[in-house]
Amino acid sequence: MKKIFFVFFFSVLVVGATFVIYLKSNPPLVVNGYTSVNGNPDIRLIEIENKGIRELKLQTILVDEKYPESAKLVVSKSEPFEVGTKIENNANMTFHKLPQVRIFPSQYIDRQAIGKQPQHYAIQVNAASIQKVTIQYNYLKIPFTLTAELQANSAEKNDTKSN
């Protein structure tokens, strides 16, 4: 009987460890791009997407290893975040504190429910000369960190590098 219990316990342990290793090697949060807000290079809008199967919750944002002047989660119920997107006084965009809103997986977002459900997510960061943004979040109660390197000389969407 002890042998069966040991084999069962060991199997559960191996499956759990494999699952955690898989999640850590394939993190659910990705950065799709970034842009300046109203041409101001000190205010960046970083578009994020949850590629996982469950919702996730942002914890903190670091800009160049320091806390930014301000950081908000921007939720769009209509259009994606592109160069020239008007975010101020837009009825379809709302601003939230980082841990206040959970980010839904993109595969479960109803793209036909424009104006009713969140469609796109971004982080608005206000800090001088932003080069690297570190996003800390929880997914399935496991802490994750995503780091994106931003090019300081361009205000349009760019490719990013993430860990």
Side-chain angles (χ1 to χ4, degrees), residues 77-79 92 110-117 119:
K77 291 184 179 179
S78 61
E79 58 203 85
N92 287 319
D110 181 7
R111 300 294 180 194
Q112 306 304 317
I114 294 175
K116 297 177 182 144
Q117 288 183 346
Q119 300 289 314

Side-chain angles (χ1 to χ4, degrees), residues 29 31 46 48 56-68 70-73 96-101 103 123-125 132-139 142-148:
L29 188 68
V31 173
I46 303 163
I48 57 175
L56 60 85
K57 191 173 190 179
L58 300 179
Q59 297 300 316
T60 59
I61 302 291
L62 297 173
V63 174
D64 300 325
E65 308 300 326
K66 297 180 277 185
Y67 289 104
S70 71
K72 301 174 190 170
L73 178 65
H96 307 274
K97 293 180 182 176
L98 294 179
Q100 189 176 11
V101 174
I103 299 174
I123 299 169
Q124 181 179 337
V125 179
K132 182 170 81 168
V133 176
T134 304
I135 304 169
Q136 297 172 342
Y137 63 98
N138 286 337
Y139 179 72
I142 301 171
F144 284 86
T145 300
L146 172 69
T147 301

